[in-house]
């Protein structure tokens, strides 16, 4: 039994994958608390999916995929803000438009470049191929996100709970919203490598949805979310190591969903 | 719960890296003469919408409890929101505590008729009341919570027993008292209250009335109401009807509040 746990640890790729999963779990779960409480789940889906054309474009141009991913995520966030700034288009529809347009652009680019095989890793993630440079990027993102969440904690909490009061005291909820979007974009870019564009939303939403069921304060929600994301991530890695054919991204998401289901079944109905 | 020393040190290190920036220009404290002075005021409920009133003028002395009455849609809420700086003034001028209305004023508290709060949100009532201290802080600043002012405000509004309850488990009246406790912690000198008694049961109502009409309290209150009994308790009654404001009752009967 112990051997089942220890055996993968001797593989360098597995060690790197564990670190990457732990770091991105912390990032996504802390941001995810706001994503879930502010009902931004659809927005985070749009951000993660819109990364696709950015990465494909960057690779075709010979740039770092992270640069392309970040540019595409920022373009999407800006596009949503611009489309929904006028009356007649709700934010919901603006997100739907940007999400499908960007994803379609990505698929068109991939198809035109005849590069389906190279980019399946992007859709489904490949934690196995995480290199030291990827670890550095995920680590830096985690630091930046945690730092900003700490120094802006009281503002973000207030603006997420009572936007009008934040506005009254001059705490600029619109700026805070933009800052949060930027952080979610950063987190998404760092995590796409691990679980893929299609499943990154899961890391934002599932652990934090568990946290909301269990925590009574915002830091508690984040704490439970981190525990669920890191625990689920590590369990998912082992699952995909031992069960041949289960991709790491899918394993991670399934293992994160298990504690959510338990918490949901045990939570009181109201 | 005692904070972990490692966590505190790490947290302090984070705050040490960023400058402290105030949310807005600070206001001088103290109310002298008029709390509100409005001349020829016009405002719309939302930008681009029709004006709900086009030319109203009034003044409210410091310490006066004023009731704002009038039928639905007469613009009571818009007037309060305009004074709070939440909707722009289209024409005319207003001085609120000695300055034109704007956002970011720690000396003013506004309570909406139906506050739009995110629900559910993991927030104990005590933390909600503590948010009143934020107005006196700024960006990138940690507020060290749990001070006496918060406990005093909780006790004042009869909320001590509920302090650790999550806000979404409170009744409408309890939440309303919590929001007033937040204004009390903020130490606001001007309270703009939009129908503060609507959701209250008898018990909540008595507590809120005792707070708002306490003779020793030094703040100025403007409250919108439909209830003639509430209006009668106020020093001054203004009626907004058909875009026209008229004084039904001037400040009288409570001379001690106009010192």
């Amino acid at each position: 039994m112990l051997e089942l746990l220890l055996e993968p640890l001797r593989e360098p790729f597995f060690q790197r994958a564990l670190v990457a999963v732990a770091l991105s779990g912390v990032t996504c779960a802390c941001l995810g608390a706001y994503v879930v409480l502010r009902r931004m789940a659809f927005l985070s889906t749009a951000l993660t999916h819109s990364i696709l054309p950015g990465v494909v474009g960057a690779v075709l141009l010979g740039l770092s995929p992270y640069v392309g991913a970040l540019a595409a995520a920022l373009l999407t966030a800006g596009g949503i803000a611009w489309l929904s700034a006028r009356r007649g288009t709700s934010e919901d529809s603006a997100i739907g438009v940007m999400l499908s347009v960007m994803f379609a652009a990505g698929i068109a680019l991939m198809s035109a470049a005849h590069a389906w095989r190279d980019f399946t890793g992007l859709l489904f993630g490949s934690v196995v191929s995480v290199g030291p440079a990827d670890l550095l990027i995920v680590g830096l993102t985690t630091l930046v996100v945690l730092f900003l969440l700490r120094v802006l904690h009281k503002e973000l909490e207030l603006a997420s709970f009572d936007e009008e009061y934040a506005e009254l005291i001059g705490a600029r909820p619109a700026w805070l919203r933009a800052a949060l979007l930027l952080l979610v974009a950063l987190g998404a870019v760092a995590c796409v490598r691990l679980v893929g564009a299609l499943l990154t939303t899961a890391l934002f939403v599932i652990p934090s949805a568990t946290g909301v069921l269990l925590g009574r304060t915002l830091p508690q929600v984040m704490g439970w979310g981190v525990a669920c994301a890191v625990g689920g991530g590590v369990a998912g890695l082992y699952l995909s190591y031992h069960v041949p054919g289960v991709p790491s991204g899918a394993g991670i998401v399934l293992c994160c969903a298990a504690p959510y289901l338990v918490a949901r079944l045990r939570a009181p109905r109201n | 719960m005692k904070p972990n020393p490692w966590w505190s040190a790490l947290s302090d290190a984070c705050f040490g890296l960023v400058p402290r920036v105030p949310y807005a220009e600070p206001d001088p404290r103290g109310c002298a003469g008029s709390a509100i002075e409005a001349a020829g005021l016009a405002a719309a409920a939302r930008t681009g919408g029709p004006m709900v009133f086009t030319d109203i003028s009034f003044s409210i002395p410091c310490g006066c409890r004023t009731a704002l009455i009038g039928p639905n849609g007469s613009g009571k809420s818009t007037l309060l929101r305009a004074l709070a700086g939440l909707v722009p003034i289209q024409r005319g001028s207003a001085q609120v505590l000695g300055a034109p209305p704007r956002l970011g004023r720690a000396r003013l508290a506004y309570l909406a008729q139906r506050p739009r709060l995110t629900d559910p949100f993991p927030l104990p009532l005590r933390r909600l009341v503590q948010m009143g201290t934020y107005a006196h802080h700024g960006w990138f600043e940690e507020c060290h919570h749990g001070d006496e002012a918060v406990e005093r405000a909780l006790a004042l509004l009869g909320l001590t027993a509920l302090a650790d309850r999550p806000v979404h488990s409170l009744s409408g009246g309890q939440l309303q008292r919590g929001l007033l406790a937040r204004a009390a912690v903020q130490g606001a000198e001007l309270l703009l209250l939009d129908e503060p008694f609507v959701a209250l049961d008898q018990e909540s109502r008595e507590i809120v009335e005792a707070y708002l009409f306490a003779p020793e309290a030094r703040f100025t209150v403007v409250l919108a109401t439909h209830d003639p009994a509430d209006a009668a308790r106020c020093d001054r009654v203004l009626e907004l009807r058909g875009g026209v404001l008229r004084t039904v009752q001037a400040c009288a009967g409570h001379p001690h509040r106009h010192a």
Side-chain angles (χ1 to χ4, degrees), chain B:
Chain B
M1 199 171 70
K2 227 178 161 187
N4 180 320
W6 280 94
W7 172 247
S8 308
L10 196 64
S11 179
D12 289 346
C14 285
F15 283 105
L17 289 173
V18 277
R20 292 178 179 193
V21 184
Y23 292 130
E25 292 287 306
D27 272 339
R29 290 194 74 86
C31 185
S34 291
I36 302 174
E37 199 69 68
L41 219 54
R46 55 186 69 80
T47 32
M51 304 276 185
V52 279
F53 47 80
T54 50
D55 182 14
I56 59 173
S57 304
F58 60 97
S59 102
I60 293 172
C62 290
C64 180
R65 313 295 199 263
T66 303
L68 190 59
I69 58 172
N72 290 113
S74 59
K76 301 186 298 293
S77 298
T78 305
L79 177 56
L80 290 178
R81 292 176 67 81
L83 294 172
L86 286 166
V87 297
I89 287 169
Q90 307 286 344
R91 275 200 308 276
S93 69
Q95 292 282 313
V96 177
L97 297 171
R102 61 174 167 86
L103 296 171
R105 303 191 69 178
R107 303 165 63 201
L108 178 152
Y110 162 79
L111 205 58
Q113 187 182 346
R114 278 183 294 271
R116 278 176 314 201
L117 306 175
T118 303
D119 178 36
F121 199 90
L123 195 78
L125 177 61
R126 181 178 276 112
R127 179 93 183 160
L128 167 74
V129 175
Q130 281 164 345
M131 284 175 170
T133 60
Y134 294 180
H136 301 286
H137 290 78
W139 296 101
F140 311 125
E141 205 170 333
E142 174 74 316
C143 300
H144 290 286
H145 295 303
D147 45 18
E148 289 167 45
V150 172
E151 300 305 323
R152 261 206 312 279
L154 283 167
L156 197 58
L157 287 144
L159 295 168
T160 307
L162 303 171
D164 293 313
R165 286 263 299 272
V167 282
H168 59 77
S169 75
L170 300 175
S171 74
Q174 291 165 341
L175 186 62
Q176 185 84 334
R177 272 147 62 197
L179 294 169
L180 271 173
R182 180 172 72 181
V185 167
Q186 186 186 331
E189 290 161 42
L190 174 61
L191 300 177
L192 303 172
L193 312 174
D194 201 349
E195 305 202 15
F197 299 112
V198 157
L200 304 189
D201 63 8
Q202 194 55 38
E203 187 202 350
S204 288
R205 195 187 172 87
E206 278 165 14
I207 294 170
V208 170
E209 282 184 354
Y211 171 67
L212 290 181
F213 297 106
E216 71 279 4
R218 303 190 63 86
F219 45 67
T220 309
V221 180
V222 183
L223 59 91
T225 180
H226 284 289
D227 187 342
D230 292 332
R233 299 201 57 171
C234 291
D235 310 329
R236 167 174 291 209
V237 181
L238 301 175
E239 187 185 31
L240 195 54
R241 184 184 287 271
V244 179
L245 187 87
R246 79 192 168 88
T247 305
V248 175
Q249 177 191 321
C251 279
H254 300 280
H256 54 275
R257 290 199 196 124
H258 309 306

Side-chain angles (χ1 to χ4, degrees), chain A residues 34 37-39 87 146-148 150-165 167-173 175-176 212 215-218 220-221 270, chain B residues 7 11 14-15 17-18 23 46 81 84 86 103-105 110 112 116-124 127-128 131-132 134-135 138-143 164 167 182 186:
Chain A
Y34 290 112
L37 290 169
R38 297 175 70 127
R39 297 184 171 80
R87 268 205 201 172
L146 290 185
F147 174 74
L148 285 173
R150 181 69 204 98
V151 295
L152 287 172
H153 178 77
K154 80 177 195 299
E155 285 84 5
L156 282 169
E157 184 187 44
L158 171 61
S160 303
F161 172 67
D162 187 351
E163 194 174 332
E164 195 164 77
Y165 188 72
E167 200 167 1
L168 274 168
I169 67 168
R172 316 262 178 178
W175 291 6
L176 288 164
V212 168
R216 291 169 58 89
T217 64
L218 191 51
Q220 279 178 19
V221 167
N270 52 358
Chain B
W7 172 247
S11 179
C14 285
F15 283 105
L17 289 173
V18 277
Y23 292 130
R46 55 186 69 80
R81 292 176 67 81
L86 286 166
L103 296 171
R105 303 191 69 178
Y110 162 79
R116 278 176 314 201
L117 306 175
T118 303
D119 178 36
F121 199 90
L123 195 78
R127 179 93 183 160
L128 167 74
M131 284 175 170
Y134 294 180
W139 296 101
F140 311 125
E141 205 170 333
E142 174 74 316
C143 300
D164 293 313
V167 282
R182 180 172 72 181
Q186 186 186 331

Side-chain angles (χ1 to χ4, degrees), chain A residues 9-160:
Chain A
L9 286 177
R10 296 190 198 103
E11 311 266 5
F13 82 86
F14 196 84
Q15 296 163 1
R16 281 197 298 272
L18 273 184
V19 176
V21 158
L23 287 173
S24 50
V26 171
T27 309
C28 286
C30 289
L31 284 170
Y34 290 112
V35 169
V36 166
L37 290 169
R38 297 175 70 127
R39 297 184 171 80
M40 289 162 63
F42 190 32
L43 192 54
S44 75
T45 310
L47 283 179
T48 52
H49 285 57
S50 69
I51 285 172
L52 187 67
V55 175
V56 179
V59 169
L60 291 179
L61 291 172
L63 297 169
S64 158
Y66 286 109
V67 175
L70 191 59
L74 293 181
L75 180 69
T76 308
I80 291 168
W82 183 72
L83 285 179
S84 58
R86 275 147 233 273
R87 268 205 201 172
T89 302
S90 69
E91 189 180 79
D92 207 42
S93 334
I95 294 170
V97 169
M98 285 307 291
L99 163 62
S100 19
V101 167
M102 293 295 278
F103 201 61
I107 288 175
L109 268 179
M110 259 162 58
S111 188
H114 300 292
W116 283 104
R117 198 182 297 159
D118 302 350
F119 293 113
T120 46
L122 183 63
L123 287 176
F124 301 110
S126 56
V127 110
V128 183
S129 62
V130 164
D134 298 310
L135 276 189
L136 187 69
I137 300 238
V138 179
L140 282 176
T141 309
T142 306
L143 274 183
V144 169
V145 167
L146 290 185
F147 174 74
L148 285 173
L149 286 185
R150 181 69 204 98
V151 295
L152 287 172
H153 178 77
K154 80 177 195 299
E155 285 84 5
L156 282 169
E157 184 187 44
L158 171 61
S160 303

